[in-house]
Amino acid sequence: MTNYISLKHQLPEILLISSYPPRECGIATFSQDLRAALDKKFAQSFSVRVCALEAAEETHSYPPEVRYVLDTADPQSYQTVIDAVNKDNRIKIVLLQHEFGFFQTMPESEFLHFLNSIKKPLIVTFHTVLSKPNDALKNKVSNIVHACDSVVVMTKNSAEILEREYAVPAEKTWVIAHGIHLVPHLGKTILKKKYGLSGRKVLSTFGLISSGKSIETTLDALPGIVADHPAVVFLIIGKTHPSVVKHEGEQYRHMLEAKVAALSLENHVVFINAYLPLQELLEYLQMTDIYLFTSKDPHQAVSGTFSYAVSCACAIISTPIPHARELLRDDAGILIDFQNSVQLTAAVNLLLDDSALRKRMINNGLQRVIFAAWENTAIANAMLFKNLAPQDIVLRYGLPEIHLGHIKRMTTNFGMLQFSKTNHPDPDSGYTIDDNARAMVAVCMHNELFTGKKDLVYLQTYLNFIEHCLQPDGHFLNYADIDKKFTAQNKEVNLDDANGRTIWALGFLLSRQNALPKRMVQQAESILKQTFSHLETIHSPRAMAFAIKGLHYYLSATPSPDAQRLVEKLANRLVQMYRHEAESGWHWFESYLTYGNSILPEALLCAWLSTGNYGYRDIAHESFNFLLKHTFTEKGIKVVPNNGWMQKGQGRAQYGEQPIDVAYTILALQLFYEVFNEARYREKMETAFNWFLGQNHLDQIIYNPCTGGCYDGLEETQVNMNQGAESTVSYLMARLAIEKSFNNQEMNLYSVGIQPSVKKERRRELMLQ
């Protein structure tokens, strides 16, 4: 798999020209985060090296990724970098982070000479885009734009200003949001206790301190806030900006401290005078109830501090900079006028008094900002790189680590909960046998690759839940509430599919019986055998398909004439459906494609492996190829959406893709590749898995590597940021299938080259013993 193996050839390089840590400034932190995101997401596509910008009279000791240092006050330093970049054939693209203050010590003509002398594709990211420019500024920006191949800005508003007021061609500008860190949302109560703020309502602001932040606006608002909410504390997080210290000393901070004393706010204001490590900063933000952004600069295009606060589930009150107007629209926050303490007092009190409003704004903000996760920002930048250097940049998505954290959080001692609000399990949603059956399959897959006693605890939990749902006549109920009681929903919906999935899970577990405790195996086999009479009665195609899969896995480990007979009976019903519906141009079992389509041909392939009936194999092969034709495009996988499906002779719906359908496709592709040894199936496995990593119509991640959860769906304009059981378990099954097929090929269940007839003969031999 090209994504996940070590590349022998030397990777192309991207040179990032920017301020860079340990230099303390916002763009330095931004560039370090961007480089880290690109490296994590595309480490086998390209490498990112850095040319660090040094301010006058400053020197730093840089990390290994910094290859060059550019002294922005030294003309010879510019020429040295030009020569090095142009001579280095590894460098394919130069990405320059632009802020006017970086290059103010150099004549404009010298800086333009630097840009024009770079003989590699050049991208300039503007961190400041000023509206209503004078002629001099307009000319300066126009010259920079003319010297580069592409321009990046971080908001739509900035792009509109460039086009409208600077005459920058729209096709030259890419809008790539300021990245945000995905966080686990640990819970405010836990974090407040950790930092000694239990019982307090936390307001905060952060960043390198300067008078432009207008922190005094908040201090003037606090007496009116404290009067109504005595438990309020305001955290001012950050050191004074180094350039401010250099020219003014700590004058501004001392003024703020004096104001705190004058207003008798000592018990309600805390200065955290430090440049905090990232994880500590994110914890401060996660425990913040309301984040206050009071910049007095109406021309500030974007704020990283503001973005980080939204991603950490803070309610936001902000002055109306363009970034805030764009992000906080439609009830995602509150805007106040610049330097208006009266409005700020009223806004804070409103949110503290109305927890429902505060929660609604937080959720709206999270949904609005999730597209800007650093992982998505990395994808957008990588696509720009590929656009500029298509012959040199081949995008290969990095494979995330296998992460069971969210699976475990969703599992109680009774079973796996059904839904999650963002990444917080929702007990009110109760339990389903669907989710517990799938979870049992996924954890079996995990235990096969990473044997461990902890997996056995979860397997036993899921198996016990399945047994809890078993009814005397051999069928299963599906829905139970948090009190373990079966709900009325069991009488309102068809339960056949849930029953079929449960047979799949039981059979899958039993196929791994040599690695499992004897008592667990006996329990699962006892449950399975009690269902045989009920299986005779099911006619739902997907229920039959899941049952065939489960019985096939069971037969792979245990001879059973009853199971063999059921496989043939159910497979023959699928064959009959296929022959009834299939015609020229429509090789399918039904007159429509809906959900879980790949399970149907996969089941017939399983039936062939269990029986040796080549008729099953031929229909499996023909129908699966038909399905793939309607599932994959030149851009990647696009499963049949749940918003309208696809009817015979008609077009298909476009939006509403579910992780479970992508995962089922991957599992089917895995089996078809193992049996037929056709490379295209393996290649499609990789393509399909990349859907979770960002190769989809939104170019956004569906899997959350921070929580280990998977978003619940891909809609037309956004992802559903809830991370429920179905989507999370589906991702895990897909991830483990990739791990087994590409990183542990020797562990494949069906070794390439072993004929099904051999398996059949061996199984019959065992049955006679």
Side-chain angles (χ1 to χ4, degrees), residues 24-39:
E24 294 177 348
C25 82
I27 295 178
T29 302
F30 169 91
S31 295
Q32 185 180 52
D33 288 341
L34 174 60
R35 182 194 174 277
L38 287 166
D39 185 62

Side-chain angles (χ1 to χ4, degrees), residues 323-354:
H323 190 192
R325 293 199 307 269
E326 194 168 298
L327 197 60
L328 299 184
R329 68 187 189 279
D330 302 331
D331 209 21
I334 295 178
L335 297 177
I336 61 170
D337 293 335
F338 294 102
Q339 298 179 285
N340 194 319
S341 297
V342 174
Q343 289 182 6
L344 181 56
T345 298
V348 171
N349 285 335
L350 173 65
L351 289 181
L352 290 178
D353 287 335
D354 191 340

Side-chain angles (χ1 to χ4, degrees), residues 557-622:
T558 303
S560 169
D562 289 339
Q564 188 88 10
R565 178 179 55 79
L566 278 169
V567 166
E568 293 177 356
K569 188 167 190 174
L570 297 175
N572 287 339
R573 289 178 185 172
L574 287 180
V575 169
Q576 185 178 6
M577 293 180 65
Y578 183 81
R579 289 174 175 165
H580 181 267
E581 289 292 343
E583 59 186 44
S584 177
W586 187 264
H587 304 287
W588 198 242
F589 304 83
E590 302 162 302
S591 61
Y592 42 76
L593 293 171
T594 58
Y595 65 94
N597 296 304
S598 60
I599 184 66
L600 300 178
E602 183 188 7
L604 280 186
L605 192 58
C606 287
W608 173 56
L609 290 169
S610 289
T611 68
N613 184 328
Y614 279 83
Y616 300 155
R617 185 202 66 173
D618 293 344
I619 292 175
H621 198 249
E622 184 176 64

Side-chain angles (χ1 to χ4, degrees), residues 672-738:
F672 273 79
Y673 173 70
E674 290 167 358
V675 170
F676 291 105
N677 196 27
E678 294 182 24
R680 63 193 179 100
Y681 293 135
R682 195 168 189 263
E683 292 165 0
K684 281 180 166 56
M685 278 187 73
E686 176 181 356
T687 300
F689 189 74
N690 285 344
W691 181 89
F692 290 102
L693 308 182
Q695 190 178 339
N696 50 62
H697 78 265
L698 290 183
D699 300 314
Q700 293 184 29
I701 56 170
I702 309 299
Y703 169 67
N704 184 321
C706 174
T707 65
C710 180
Y711 298 127
D712 278 352
L714 177 68
E715 307 300 336
E716 181 176 0
T717 60
Q718 63 186 28
V719 298
N720 181 336
M721 66 181 182
N722 293 324
Q723 299 162 46
E726 177 183 292
S727 56
T728 297
V729 172
S730 296
Y731 167 81
L732 181 60
M733 288 191 293
R735 175 64 182 87
L736 292 167
I738 292 293

Side-chain angles (χ1 to χ4, degrees), residues 503-518:
I503 302 303
W504 169 37
L506 290 167
F508 194 83
L509 182 144
L510 289 168
S511 72
R512 272 72 177 163
Q513 60 185 258
N514 291 337
L516 299 174
K518 184 177 180 181

